[in-house]
Amino acid sequence: MGAQTEKAISSLKQQRLLLELEYNTDKECFRQQTEETGIMRMVRRGDAWFPLTVGKSHYNSLNQKVIEITRNNDTDIEHNFEYGKPVSFFTIEKTDNKPHIRYLGLTSTVSFVEGNTMLVVIPDDFSVTELSVCGQTGIQLYFDETSYRTMFNALDKVISAEGRLAYLRDLFYSGQKAAQLSFAPMRFPYLNSTQETAVNKVLAAKDVAIVHGPPGTGKTTTLVEVIHETLRRESQVLVCAQSNMAVDWISEKLTDRGINVLRIGNPSKVNDKILSHTYERRFEAHPDYPHLWSIRKAIRELRSSKKRGDSIHDKIQSLRNRATEIEIRINNRLFDEARVIASTMTGSANRILEGKRFGTVFIDEAAQALEAACWIPIQKASRVILAGDHCQLPPTVKSIAAMKAGLGKTLMERIVENKPEAVTLLRTQYRMNDDIMRFSSKWFYNGEVEAAPEVKFRSILDYDVPIEWIDTSSPEYHTSDTQKDGCRALPTDDFKEQFSGNGFGRINKGEAELTLDVLKTYFTRIGKQRVLDERIDVGVISPYRAQVQHLRRLLRKREYFKPFRKLISVNTVDGFQGQERDVILISMVRSNEKGEIGFLRDLRRMNVAITRARMKLIILGDRQTMARHPFYKELQEYIRQLHSHQQ
């Protein structure tokens, strides 16, 4: 065994140990939340629906028994249910007049979600009547055992790999240069120079290439072009991403280019364009499907008939064989027609992809995925193309010990360090006013990212400074005779952060009120009618979920904002990943004597927040608390200089 192989295997074994640590921490967190958090708090977090209405059950095109459920209240809370997530049903029962939760002892899977309606896969022998306890049935997200098992399996296969997979494993863990093909670069007149370089570098890569896309630089545009060009050379490619939302987005863009996409799994947002490309819809649209359905129905009827004996067993077996034959025929047709197979990374382990091989796998959002998750689709390919930005949102790791020991380091970061020659940084951004972009460019990208001429000076108001920091510790916003810019004065104590308990996050009530006051003032400056006519959209971001929910409640209560409801969205930083708005307000929440800022020290999260704004960015935060950290101190100084130049 060579030194290179030894190093790679040793590092991957370490990864596996850290993943076990994360698995145990995550499982324990789930147990504590379930036992101690209480159902209504889980409902408010978006992790449970209660009470719910149980609808009809039926068999879907994949021959799974599904049941329809609808949530009855709190329908404006954004929930965390999506395709493929494990769930568990429960009922609330009273013993000695005290309510307690009884779980129904089965783990099901979400098959489809739209708004307040969900389809859940249940076992064939499960009695639906058991769920029909009037008004007292609920469903909650369950611990995701399957994803961990899939990641462990992937690591085990890579550790013991031979052939091409072993070559990629050793290459990614070494300083050895990635192999390149040599040919004259192609011209793409509709791309900018760095996008064109990225496409050519990917086409020339024999082993691996990375498209590093800072905010607004057209990473998806570049990736779609790369995939389109690769399909001139290969008959089919695998395209994966960490989240269902990212898979939907890239699938939609590929479909717009006229590429036949087969989407494994169901989309996060119901959209007819994407739905028509899902495996399930394509399967049931096949001409042989009605015949298959009638055979499956006959098998179910025979199973439930009172007769027993060898003849029925033989008949069922014969029908099963015919059904399998038709399924294989439909599957072969669907896969033969598709040029792109698209799924999440864990979704690429789906049994319908078993034994499938691809020349190239494209992994989008690669900087948000644990390394173990990336190895799931890489096993199926000879060449790996990663796209993302390791200066934006990192993977979620709950175990502090595992994080410190390196579990949070992604495969993309590893390759960027080991193989700078394989990386192309996209340098022109098309989203932000230059003043908004420049701080992020300097801090995260060595000042290499520049604003495209068409967006450089974009603004809503003339002579407006594109970034403001509203200092919530300033006396002018607290109880006084004067009111600054139409913002109501509030008691000083209202501007101190409060802990809302049970890991539910932090909240700053004064800052939330002020955030909406500041937005109202800005709308007044623009003119209410202009905001509506030009559909000037707004994102209100807070890193803390409790603050997000508090802001949503306040927004609903304020009469002034009623006409603008569809133009204003309030969400966490993670919820705004990949999105942009004309105006962004960020409520920082933290305000304390010790200058503690918690996970706001993760500057990648802040990079995402400040780069969502096209034309105006307003940050609300306690200047003194935040300035104890060099990043926020420098950001405040940068904003101060912008304002002094304007005067």
Side-chain angles (χ1 to χ4, degrees):
M1 188 189 289
Q4 208 167 291
T5 302
E6 218 167 283
K7 182 189 170 192
I9 289 175
S10 163
S11 298
L12 285 160
K13 283 181 176 173
Q14 169 76 351
Q15 283 270 320
R16 201 188 191 290
L17 288 171
L18 296 178
L19 190 62
E20 275 180 41
L21 190 56
E22 172 68 4
Y23 166 79
N24 292 325
T25 305
D26 200 2
K27 199 163 190 176
E28 180 56 22
C29 283
F30 174 79
R31 188 194 63 76
Q32 284 178 359
Q33 274 183 2
T34 306
E35 290 177 10
E36 298 163 19
T37 303
I39 285 302
M40 293 326 289
R41 190 174 283 282
M42 290 184 75
V43 167
R44 288 196 295 276
R45 285 173 66 104
D47 292 340
W49 286 6
F50 177 81
L52 52 81
T53 302
V54 177
K56 291 179 179 174
S57 66
H58 66 272
Y59 282 87
N60 66 13
S61 58
L62 306 182
N63 207 28
Q64 299 164 319
K65 189 177 181 182
V66 293
I67 187 166
E68 186 178 304
I69 59 170
T70 312
R71 65 169 166 174
N72 300 343
N73 65 357
D74 290 307
T75 52
D76 54 346
I77 289 176
E78 240 175 77
H79 63 77
N80 302 314
F81 292 86
E82 61 175 63
Y83 169 80
K85 287 202 172 180
V87 289
S88 185
F89 286 100
F90 61 83
T91 58
I92 304 286
E93 296 176 346
K94 283 191 176 176
T95 310
D96 302 330
N97 265 350
K98 285 182 181 175
H100 76 275
I101 300 169
R102 180 174 76 88
Y103 287 97
L104 300 186
L106 81 148
T107 305
S108 309
T109 311
V110 177
S111 169
F112 187 78
V113 189
E114 181 180 13
N116 300 310
T117 303
M118 177 157 48
L119 290 178
V120 177
V121 177
I122 54 174
D124 278 9
D125 55 358
F126 182 71
S127 167
V128 176
T129 52
E130 203 177 333
L131 292 176
S132 304
V133 181
C134 184
Q136 291 299 296
T137 306
I139 192 168
Q140 71 166 68
L141 285 170
Y142 203 66
F143 181 69
D144 193 353
E145 196 86 45
T146 311
S147 290
Y148 276 106
R149 202 164 52 241
T150 310
M151 286 193 283
F152 283 127
N153 286 343
L155 285 177
D156 289 340
K157 281 181 182 167
V158 176
I159 287 166
S160 60
E162 292 176 354
R164 183 66 183 168
L165 185 58
Y167 170 78
L168 290 175
R169 173 198 68 203
D170 297 352
L171 179 72
F172 294 169
Y173 274 86
S174 75
Q176 181 189 328
K177 286 201 169 188
Q180 295 273 314
L181 299 164
S182 58
F183 58 79
M186 295 174 66
R187 292 301 319 277
F188 300 95
Y190 36 87
L191 298 180
N192 68 42
S193 60
T194 50
Q195 289 173 334
E196 189 173 86
T197 302
V199 174
N200 278 302
K201 197 170 267 191
V202 169
L203 295 176
K206 276 179 87 173
D207 305 320
V208 65
I210 289 179
V211 179
H212 180 189
T217 53
K219 172 177 64 72
T220 305
T221 304
T222 308
L223 203 51
V224 167
E225 196 54 53
V226 161
I227 293 166
H228 185 262
E229 281 302 314
T230 302
L231 288 171
R232 292 176 185 271
R233 298 153 175 78
E234 297 174 24
S235 59
Q236 194 175 65
V237 297
L238 177 61
V239 175
C240 294
Q242 174 69 3
S243 66
N244 274 302
M245 203 180 290
V247 179
D248 295 344
W249 180 244
I250 190 99
S251 297
E252 198 170 328
K253 296 297 170 194
L254 289 166
T255 303
D256 290 344
R257 284 296 295 268
I259 296 168
N260 189 327
V261 176
L262 182 62
R263 167 80 163 93
I264 309 297
N266 275 322
S268 56
K269 292 263 191 311
V270 176
N271 168 329
D272 281 342
K273 194 197 288 185
I274 292 299
L275 269 176
S276 64
H277 290 275
T278 60
Y279 175 80
E280 201 169 319
R281 286 282 175 97
R282 289 271 183 91
F283 194 93
E284 63 188 27
H286 192 277
D288 289 348
Y289 177 72
H291 185 202
L292 176 64
W293 191 86
S294 61
I295 293 172
R296 286 170 172 175
K297 189 181 175 198
I299 291 170
R300 285 195 290 272
E301 283 169 356
L302 281 169
R303 266 207 206 123
S304 59
S305 70
K306 292 194 168 55
K307 295 175 188 173
R308 288 286 176 268
D310 288 345
S311 63
I312 279 192
H313 177 78
D314 291 346
K315 203 169 186 181
I316 288 174
Q317 195 52 50
S318 164
L319 288 169
R320 269 195 189 140
N321 292 342
R322 276 173 65 196
T324 304
E325 208 177 287
I326 296 170
E327 274 180 52
I328 290 168
R329 193 160 67 236
I330 296 175
N331 258 346
N332 288 344
R333 176 84 182 271
L334 296 186
F335 278 98
D336 286 349
E337 286 174 351
R339 303 294 313 278
V340 169
I341 309 299
S343 75
T344 59
M345 280 182 263
T346 47
S348 69
N350 192 307
R351 63 174 184 81
I352 57 176
L353 284 174
E354 225 167 85
K356 295 271 186 291
R357 294 284 307 166
F358 302 89
T360 306
V361 59
F362 292 90
I363 301 179
D364 196 10
E365 280 190 343
Q368 270 183 271
L370 290 174
E371 178 172 341
C374 288
W375 284 112
I376 301 167
I378 290 173
Q379 296 170 74
K380 298 180 180 295
S382 303
R383 194 173 78 113
V384 183
I385 310 302
L386 304 171
D389 180 10
H390 49 285
C391 303
Q392 291 188 64
L393 289 180
T396 303
V397 177
K398 291 187 178 172
S399 163
I400 295 164
M403 187 64 159
K404 283 181 177 169
L407 185 64
K409 184 167 185 173
T410 63
L411 186 63
M412 178 168 162
E413 281 177 278
R414 193 180 301 289
I415 298 167
V416 166
E417 275 176 26
N418 287 341
K419 302 186 187 352
E421 74 283 352
V423 184
T424 308
L425 174 71
L426 303 179
R427 288 190 169 87
T428 308
Q429 68 84 19
Y430 299 88
R431 175 185 299 164
M432 294 160 269
N433 174 295
D434 189 53
D435 288 341
I436 296 173
M437 178 221 71
R438 216 170 333 124
F439 183 80
S440 166
S441 176
K442 183 184 165 202
W443 189 280
F444 295 99
Y445 308 103
N446 300 317
E448 290 183 59
V449 178
E450 295 175 349
E454 58 266 40
V455 303
K456 195 167 188 173
F457 303 110
R458 64 182 349 185
S459 65
I460 298 171
L461 296 167
D462 293 338
Y463 310 113
D464 190 19
V465 182
I467 316 183
E468 286 179 52
W469 186 297
I470 307 278
D471 180 13
T472 56
S473 64
S474 172
E476 61 204 351
Y477 297 115
H478 303 177
T479 305
S480 65
D481 297 330
T482 59
Q483 291 184 344
K484 166 117 170 137
D485 296 335
C487 298
R488 291 162 303 154
L490 294 160
T492 302
D493 283 353
D494 280 12
F495 286 92
K496 290 293 172 198
E497 65 183 74
Q498 299 168 31
F499 192 58
S500 63
N502 267 336
F504 192 50
R506 290 168 197 268
I507 194 167
N508 188 321
K509 292 182 176 176
E511 189 172 288
E513 295 278 3
L514 183 60
T515 301
L516 297 187
D517 285 349
V518 166
L519 179 57
K520 180 182 174 182
T521 304
Y522 195 63
F523 271 7
T524 307
R525 282 179 66 197
I526 300 167
K528 286 175 75 170
Q529 198 54 47
R530 186 182 159 207
V531 172
L532 293 168
D533 291 347
E534 295 181 18
R535 300 194 59 75
I536 294 168
D537 55 1
V538 176
V540 182
I541 301 178
S542 179
Y544 292 93
R545 192 188 285 193
Q547 184 80 340
V548 166
Q549 297 209 347
H550 184 61
L551 280 160
R552 282 178 183 160
R553 281 193 295 274
L554 289 181
L555 192 64
R556 279 198 302 276
K557 285 180 191 165
R558 292 220 189 170
E559 199 66 30
Y560 176 88
F561 290 108
K562 271 197 173 161
F564 310 111
R565 287 276 163 82
K566 288 190 174 160
L567 296 173
I568 304 170
S569 40
V570 186
N571 216 328
T572 57
V573 182
D574 299 54
F576 270 103
Q577 170 77 339
Q579 298 185 43
E580 56 187 78
R581 298 288 187 275
D582 294 325
V583 181
I584 288 287
L585 294 93
I586 306 172
S587 168
M588 304 293 280
V589 176
R590 301 309 295 259
S591 175
N592 54 70
E593 305 299 328
K594 294 178 182 174
E596 288 173 353
I597 62 168
F599 79 101
L600 296 188
R601 287 193 304 268
D602 186 343
L603 305 180
R604 292 173 293 184
R605 186 165 253 98
M606 216 53 225
N607 187 30
V608 173
I610 64 178
T611 56
R612 301 306 95 196
R614 297 187 194 107
M615 293 182 263
K616 181 73 174 180
L617 172 64
I618 303 171
I619 302 168
L620 296 98
D622 182 328
R623 193 186 288 275
Q624 289 172 316
T625 300
M626 300 309 299
R628 307 257 187 114
H629 190 287
F631 173 86
Y632 296 102
K633 186 178 181 180
E634 197 165 318
L635 177 58
Q636 288 172 17
E637 178 55 26
Y638 173 77
I639 295 168
R640 191 192 63 73
Q641 284 177 9
L642 286 179
H643 282 262
S644 65
H645 289 153
Q646 184 77 13
Q647 286 161 4

